[in-house]
Amino acid sequence: MRIVILAVVAVLSVPLTAQQGGETAPVVYQVSFPAPEHRFAQVEATFSEVPQTLELRMSRSSPGRYALHEFAKNVYDVHAFGGDGKELELARPNPYQWNVSSPDGTVRLQYKVYGDHVDGTYLGIDTTHAHMNLPATLMWARHLDDRPVRVTFVPPAGLDWKVATQLFPTDSPWTFTAPNLQYLFDSPTELSAYTLKQFSVRNPDGKTYTIRAAIHSGATAEEIDRYADGLEKIVNEAVTVYGEFPKYEPGTYTFLADYLPSNSGDGMEHRNSTVVTGRALGNALSTASHEFFHCWNVERIRPQGLEPFNFEEANMTDSLWLAEGFTQYYGVLIMARAGLLDPVQAIGQFGSLARSVVFDSGRQFRSAVDMSRMAPFVDAARAVDRTNFKTTFISYYTYGGAIALGLDLTLRERSNGKVTLDDFMRAMWRTYGAPGGPAPGLVAHPYSVADVRDRLADVSGDRGFATDFVNRYIVGREALDYARLFARAGIDWRQRDRGHAWLGDLRVDAQMKIVDLVDPGTPAYDAGLEQDDVITAANGKDVASPQALQAILRAAKPGDHIQIAFTRRDGPRTATIVLKEDPTVDVVPLESPSADQKAFRDGWLGSQRH
Ligand SMILES: [Zn+2]
């Protein structure tokens, strides 16, 4: 995708004046906001030394987002001009593309793009800010991916805005550069009157980096201080997992924190920054903890399928259970280790991850690898038609989080606490992350599931264990024995309602209509009940409310039969439900763990800073 360009440029006759010191001509953007109240940006882009036909594209995807997002829909008032200023004709070969032929090798493109959605994926412009995800904002040209880029932002007159971004700074506070298209589109940019907080960190090699937070929010100064203090704790705890910070190429890592009542909640990782958004700053640290972990895991320890990111298609990888799931686990773990989350709450969150994988019906149909491949259909994707994802899909955040939890506890159990998941992450970092790539924004060695198995073999010192673990719990659909693993840390996996009759976790409304899909493998499913059926009677008695059905269940025992009458789309029906025992478990840390259990728990959930 990227290497075509040299061949194309070589055969063109282009004016030599456009070349600077033998380098390819940069792509130059200017982004202005002439009327922010109308929520559009005016973009001007200049492409020099271009091929005979320049293929201009709006992206259909964005780094870290896996569903298609048609950013072209918000583009309008598009014009192109040649180097002589004459307007050129634009062709539209497909909905995402504008083709233009320039007689002199230069195309000056102008268009407007509307945006009113503040999160990590889209564009949001109003009189308080321009919150830009660049794939949602900038048109790009095919075959020019390797060209350096120069972007100048023009703030609206009279507003006190400044720029926050991971783009490389220049002498002008409004002009930034990127070495290539991949880096450019990985660089969300916020223009607003944000509050800047920063601190520096030091690597073992002596290099220092500045960690910045650009906080655009209505929060009080105290709330912003508390948030910034929390970020510093998170950053200093997270680095203990890997032993070093990545090479942040601009010398900085930036949290672009945007918390306003009209925002959508989101967190989106990037190489040297993250966008974290929501309505209020209150509980924002857990999002920051997750996203910061991504500057190692996904941005540099990168799964095959996401490298290089394809802006024209959905991007699929086998490994989101690691890229997102392990990050989910560490986001919580680091909050606990940094003293920002009560360990009991962390254990509660880990318990939820494990329970989902053990009990949710999705695992009957798909493995962690299969779940990862579903991302283009579930990651901020909107379907018009109904899906049965509720019963056939478990989020790779949850599934992978549970695998991380189970693997961490397994490694600790096997080695008596000497080998942990941190060692595995460090092995992944050394092999795939730390070596870097040919240019900022590129990763030379993205990993496969087989690579994960090999690094697990290295870290555990047991190839048979690594192969078995990957085959059973990652490629296969088995669940780990969480009851046993939790016991080592003094955490009880406790059946909640032993001996109680259960027909499944049925969701019904006040009129006894089943409002959600019925889980395969439950008594209600086996009896043929499904979403939209309306239950009318049980054992010959009218059932007018969920409470009435509950009363009948309370009086019954596992193994009992219940005669159900219900109304389906095609008329009244009856069925026999064979009740089972309620399998629901609670995950409860023992209040008085043994000394051994306490030591295990402290080694796991306690701070790793020395
Ligand atoms: Zn994530």
Side-chain angles (χ1 to χ4, degrees), residues 269 290-291 294 324 327 397:
E269 68 278 6
H290 175 107
E291 301 307 331
H294 273 314
E324 288 299 353
T327 303
Y397 288 82

Side-chain angles (χ1 to χ4, degrees), residues 518-558:
V518 178
D519 296 316
T522 60
Y525 185 94
D526 292 342
L529 285 170
E530 194 43 272
Q531 183 169 28
D532 303 331
D533 293 346
V534 180
I535 297 173
T536 52
N539 286 345
K541 274 187 249 167
D542 282 359
V543 170
S545 70
Q547 292 76 14
L549 182 60
Q550 221 126 52
I552 291 167
L553 281 175
R554 259 198 304 273
K557 291 189 301 297

